[in-house]
Amino acid sequence: MKLAFTLSIKNIFGAKLRTFLNVFVLSFSFVVIIGLKGVMDGWDDQARRDSINWQFGQGQLIHEDYDPLDSFTILDGKGLIPENISGLTPILVHQASIYPQGRMLGATIKGIDLSQKSVLLPTKALINSKYNYPVIIGKRMAESSKLSIGDEVLIRWRDKNGTYDANRITVVDIFDSNVPAIDSGQIWMSIETLWQITGLNNQASFFIADKNYKHKPINFWKFNSQEELLKPISDLVAQKNGSQSVIYFLLLTIALLAIFDTQVLSVFRRQSEIGTYIALGMTRQKVIGIFTFEGSLYSVLALILATIYGFPLLAWFADVGFAVPPADQKMGIPIADTIFPIFGLKLVFGTIFLVLFASTVVSFLPTRKISKLDPILALKGKKQ
Amino acid sequence: MSKGYPIGGKTFMALKNLTISFNEGEFAGIVGPSGSGKTTLLNIIGSLDKPTQGEAIVLDQNISDLTHKKAAYLRNINIGFIFQVFNLLPVYTVYENVEFALLLQQYSGKERKKAVMEALDWVGLTSHANKKPDKLSGGESQRVAIARAMVKRPKILLADEPTANLDSENAHEILSTMKKLNKELKTTFLFSTHDEKVMGYLDRTIHLRDGNIEKDIIKKS
């Protein structure tokens, strides 16, 4: 091992510029892969955290006819609140239209229990309001409907019998959430007010569970755990991550190709040296081992170089975060203004393992030629 | 034994039904023109090659039966090589080049240091221990090669045209050194050469021509 190490170090440092270029390209791959994956992990973490805090709580008990992704199920997807339940915040979903500045906008009214603590919605703002129909909306809804705190707007809905009714609601608070599903086109009001104006007394479309909720099967209602609810988000991030893998693959391929070429050149140019090793009593396997070790040492040096400039760079990146362009924030998935990358041990060590393993494999492949080399011709320096 | 090489659909016989034996501690040379088979014979004795017919027994081991691993072991422990173009490892210093043979045998650090310094002393290069091969003259390089070959105290030392790249003075110096080591360490030295200077030092001269032994002359002491 000492022999392989000293020989490799001397050969690698002897190659100067070629070594530096190989090591630098590979270290760049290290830093970029860890940096980009850190952003994705940061986004995944932020999206999951925000979705739990603002939308999903500890899970949702959903009426069997209600599909949050299908607006056609809103009308029938509701039922009477089951008796003897605890740890659940009821939400009633109802369709409406609002008329800000004379324009008509489709909206979804969501009635929520004002004393809830399951999610971060500022429902307290609706308690003891001086207005008849106080509501809260999110910043996206406020922006699209051009509404501000204190604004009144006409709202029209149909009651349980299908009869149109209308009144004026007042915006008492605008919340800032990264979760578009509770913001875009949504108007939040007291569930009791919604019951009152629609006649859908004691009904709910779904419930948000808090930490005290213990699920028992209830007829007509199905429970979706937190993980089930978060799965589409994780799947989306995983899909994005997958598409980014093309970049990792290209970067890594360029770096590994450089090592591969160096190894091919090394085995070709150093045949006399290989012949000498064999003549001095080294087995071919040992010579292959030395050359493979030498090639994989590039990745170790790249790791050291990446640590030198990548560690402060990524630490700074984790601190200032990655600013998300405004257009991306309207994609319909939870994205914060700034994503703070997360560089977990799994990510760092996983990347290190991947690069070390891949560079060892590409270092080994050209050295297989050594096992077929004629040592006599090699000693004479005749290229084979 | 015989040794043939396939060339252009035919077989070129480098050695033809050759029978020869060497005794322990001999200072012998295989001489002859280019293509006479001297390097081939040396390579077979050094277990770098195998005969196509017959047997080559080196230190009681049949070369034809040796696996790559066993052949490597035989070379590692018992056989030293000296080449025409020195074949020193360019990234290593003189000291490390000589030490290399001992690293393969996994000597301890202390043992290695003692043996390397002794080997460098034999060839008068202790002051050059930290130099790289590219800073040495041809004669010095060949002396390092001798030290590298002898440091492990092999039973056999094979030298393929060791003086071919040296001037007369350096050639005589190298040969004197080898002759001295042969006497002191009882190592068997086998040369392949067509250099008259070398022949003058040999105790036994085997003349090869076209793969056959032409003459086998033992010098009377």
Side-chain angles (χ1 to χ4, degrees):
Chain A
M1 191 65 190
K2 188 204 167 201
L3 185 72
F5 185 76
T6 49
L7 201 58
S8 302
I9 287 284
K10 280 168 186 285
N11 275 315
I12 278 184
F13 283 104
K16 290 178 186 148
L17 184 64
R18 195 172 68 237
T19 296
F20 174 75
L21 288 174
N22 280 341
V23 168
F24 180 74
V25 172
L26 198 56
S27 76
F28 186 68
S29 301
F30 262 122
V31 174
V32 172
I33 291 173
I34 291 174
L36 287 177
K37 281 190 85 71
V39 170
M40 300 310 286
D41 285 357
W43 177 27
D44 187 33
D45 183 70
Q46 168 261 314
R48 290 171 68 92
R49 205 163 2 95
D50 284 346
S51 296
I52 291 167
N53 290 341
W54 287 89
Q55 186 182 7
F56 298 140
Q58 301 304 309
Q60 290 184 343
L61 187 69
I62 301 173
H63 190 272
E64 63 179 9
D65 293 332
Y66 177 61
D67 178 355
L69 301 175
D70 182 1
S71 58
F72 286 102
T73 63
I74 291 176
L75 191 63
D76 299 322
K78 56 173 81 83
L80 285 171
I81 295 175
E83 290 177 356
N84 301 324
I85 55 166
S86 63
L88 291 170
T89 299
I91 312 272
L92 177 62
V93 183
H94 203 71
Q95 280 182 311
S97 303
I98 58 169
Y99 298 85
Q101 299 161 4
R103 296 174 295 127
M104 188 182 83
L105 281 178
T108 304
I109 317 173
K110 282 182 174 167
I112 186 168
D113 181 357
L114 302 188
S115 61
Q116 65 83 25
K117 286 177 184 161
S118 305
V119 287
L120 293 177
L121 282 165
T123 48
K124 279 184 182 166
L126 299 167
I127 301 171
N128 298 326
S129 172
K130 61 181 180 182
Y131 302 106
N132 289 335
Y133 297 105
V135 298
I136 55 172
I137 57 174
K139 63 176 182 184
R140 290 175 186 78
M141 178 62 173
E143 194 183 325
S144 63
S145 59
K146 309 251 185 299
L147 289 171
S148 307
I149 293 174
D151 285 355
E152 272 196 346
V153 66
L154 181 69
I155 187 165
R156 192 180 70 149
W157 69 94
R158 292 167 79 167
D159 68 10
K160 67 174 182 179
N161 300 314
T163 308
Y164 280 107
D165 200 350
N167 216 314
R168 298 188 80 78
I169 54 172
T170 310
V171 178
V172 295
D173 198 6
I174 293 172
F175 56 84
D176 185 359
S177 164
N178 297 320
V179 185
I182 56 145
D183 180 343
S184 300
Q186 315 275 311
I187 296 168
W188 293 85
M189 62 166 56
S190 157
I191 194 166
E192 288 179 353
T193 307
L194 189 56
W195 285 340
Q196 182 201 326
I197 64 175
T198 57
L200 297 165
N201 291 336
N202 208 31
Q203 292 197 33
S205 305
F206 67 94
F207 299 85
I208 301 172
D210 63 26
K211 283 175 183 165
N212 301 320
Y213 177 69
K214 300 233 171 6
H215 178 62
K216 286 177 202 154
I218 304 170
N219 280 343
F220 312 117
W221 299 86
K222 62 177 188 297
F223 183 71
N224 284 349
S225 68
Q226 198 180 66
E227 274 311 309
E228 285 171 312
L229 293 165
L230 289 169
K231 194 172 178 297
I233 295 171
S234 295
D235 287 351
L236 185 83
V237 175
Q239 190 205 359
K240 277 262 172 200
N241 224 335
S243 58
Q244 279 205 344
S245 297
V246 176
I247 299 172
Y248 313 148
F249 178 76
L250 284 174
L251 271 171
L252 208 54
T253 303
I254 292 167
L256 294 178
L257 203 62
I259 293 180
F260 185 84
D261 282 350
T262 304
Q263 287 289 89
V264 170
L265 189 69
S266 204
V267 172
F268 182 75
R269 281 195 333 152
R270 290 162 60 191
Q271 286 186 13
S272 165
E273 185 183 326
I274 293 167
T276 308
Y277 292 148
I278 294 171
L280 288 176
M282 204 179 256
T283 60
R284 288 159 194 265
Q285 282 70 27
K286 210 162 187 175
V287 181
I288 289 172
I290 284 179
F291 275 72
T292 304
F293 183 76
E294 192 175 308
S296 58
L297 210 58
Y298 283 112
S299 55
V300 177
L301 293 176
L303 180 63
I304 294 167
L305 183 65
T307 309
I308 291 169
Y309 75 87
F311 184 77
L313 186 72
L314 294 177
W316 171 80
F317 191 33
D319 191 42
V320 300
F322 172 76
V324 180
D328 283 352
Q329 291 170 40
K330 290 176 184 165
M331 280 202 309
I333 45 174
I335 307 180
D337 300 342
T338 305
I339 293 174
F340 293 94
I342 294 174
F343 304 114
L345 288 178
K346 190 179 158 193
L347 165 65
V348 174
F349 286 106
T351 310
I352 290 171
F353 175 77
L354 171 76
V355 177
L356 285 179
F357 177 74
S359 65
T360 303
V361 170
V362 296
S363 300
F364 166 72
L365 293 175
T367 64
R368 289 176 306 164
K369 188 182 174 185
I370 292 170
S371 64
K372 293 173 193 150
L373 223 59
D374 180 345
I376 297 163
L377 295 178
L379 276 167
K380 289 176 183 167
K382 286 186 182 168
K383 302 300 178 202
Q384 297 171 60
Chain B
M1 66 178 167
S2 300
K3 175 71 185 177
Y5 295 104
I7 296 173
K10 291 181 179 173
T11 303
F12 168 74
M13 295 305 292
L15 298 174
K16 297 169 188 167
N17 284 326
L18 188 125
T19 304
I20 191 166
S21 64
F22 297 96
N23 298 318
E24 192 179 346
E26 265 189 342
F27 200 77
I30 304 148
V31 299
S34 293
S36 58
K38 40 188 202 304
T39 301
T40 303
L41 180 58
L42 229 54
N43 287 335
I44 290 172
I45 296 169
S47 73
L48 289 171
D49 207 350
K50 290 179 179 179
T52 41
Q53 276 182 345
E55 285 180 335
I57 309 293
V58 177
L59 299 169
D60 299 327
Q61 296 192 66
N62 189 339
I63 295 296
S64 302
D65 296 341
L66 294 180
T67 59
H68 278 307
K69 208 172 172 181
K70 281 185 176 169
Y73 184 77
L74 176 70
R75 289 191 296 271
N76 185 12
I77 303 294
N78 293 313
I79 300 173
F81 281 91
I82 296 171
F83 309 101
Q84 184 179 333
V85 287
F86 324 131
N87 285 58
L88 298 178
L89 302 172
V91 292
Y92 274 175
T93 61
V94 165
Y95 181 93
E96 288 164 336
N97 262 286
V98 178
E99 188 189 25
F100 189 88
L102 301 179
L103 281 169
L104 288 176
Q105 291 188 24
Q106 297 179 333
Y107 276 57
S108 72
K110 209 172 169 182
E111 287 172 320
R112 284 201 307 270
K113 191 172 182 183
K114 186 171 174 262
V116 171
M117 292 317 288
E118 191 180 10
L120 288 175
D121 189 38
W122 291 335
V123 295
L125 283 177
T126 45
S127 58
H128 292 57
N130 294 319
K131 282 187 181 170
K132 287 273 181 74
D134 59 357
K135 303 282 181 231
L136 302 176
S137 67
E140 287 168 339
S141 294
Q142 197 59 300
R143 278 149 64 193
V144 175
I146 294 169
R148 181 178 65 183
M150 290 302 296
V151 70
K152 60 186 180 185
R153 296 177 183 245
K155 291 204 168 93
I156 302 167
L157 192 137
L158 304 171
D160 188 9
E161 308 273 10
T163 55
N165 286 333
L166 302 179
D167 58 34
S168 182
E169 192 185 338
N170 271 312
H172 283 295
E173 203 173 320
I174 295 290
L175 288 162
S176 304
T177 305
M178 289 201 272
K179 188 83 183 173
K180 188 181 80 178
L181 290 170
N182 167 250
K183 289 248 173 353
E184 283 178 13
L185 304 173
K186 307 284 179 231
T187 304
T188 307
F189 276 72
L190 298 180
F191 295 81
S192 91
T193 187
H194 53 251
D195 185 346
E196 296 287 337
K197 294 189 289 292
V198 178
M199 291 180 214
Y201 283 84
L202 299 174
D203 296 333
R204 181 184 173 190
T205 313
I206 299 120
H207 290 262
L208 282 188
R209 181 173 291 275
D210 299 330
N212 293 305
I213 296 175
E214 202 177 43
K215 282 184 277 180
D216 187 349
I217 303 164
I218 298 173
K219 199 191 275 181
K220 286 172 189 168
S221 53

